[in-house]
Amino acid sequence: MRVLDYVLVYAVLIGVTLAEVYLVTIPLQLSYELLVASLIGLAFVKAAMIALFFQHLIAEPRPLSSFELFGLAGVVILLFMSAHSIIGVIHVHTSP
């Protein structure tokens, strides 16, 4: 890959990070569940870009990269399950 490709990926990572900071700091009238789901989705985008470009998975043979993507999908499923559990605990403690 060319240096320009890495610079573009780095710029996208900075943009996604700024979007995360914007979501948390600016009051947008989002529900807590939507905010958590948005942050997890943005984290997934960053993790996928880092894995594909900086860990060079994009240049790996197709069977090996698909194996890595199954592992990444498992991590995402576990993240959503833990976020659902956290949201449930918060609603139990905050309900009157």
Side-chain angles (χ1 to χ4, degrees):
M1 288 182 61
R2 301 177 322 212
V3 173
L4 180 62
D5 296 334
Y6 288 111
V7 172
L8 290 174
V9 170
Y10 186 70
V12 170
L13 290 171
I14 289 174
V16 172
T17 301
L18 290 175
E20 289 175 338
V21 171
Y22 178 79
L23 280 174
V24 173
T25 58
I26 305 298
L28 293 175
Q29 305 299 331
L30 295 176
S31 68
Y32 184 75
E33 292 85 1
L34 183 61
L35 178 65
V36 169
S38 299
L39 290 174
I40 289 174
L42 290 172
F44 175 74
V45 168
K46 289 195 316 186
M49 290 192 70
I50 289 170
L52 289 174
F53 291 99
F54 292 116
Q55 294 177 349
H56 306 287
L57 290 180
I58 204 162
E60 293 290 333
R62 183 72 56 195
L64 182 61
S65 61
S66 63
F67 179 71
E68 297 289 335
L69 290 177
F70 284 130
L72 189 59
V75 168
V76 169
I77 290 170
L78 291 174
L79 277 174
F80 275 109
M81 289 171 53
S82 65
H84 178 69
S85 174
I86 291 169
I87 290 169
V89 168
I90 289 172
H91 282 290
V92 168
H93 290 298
T94 59
S95 62

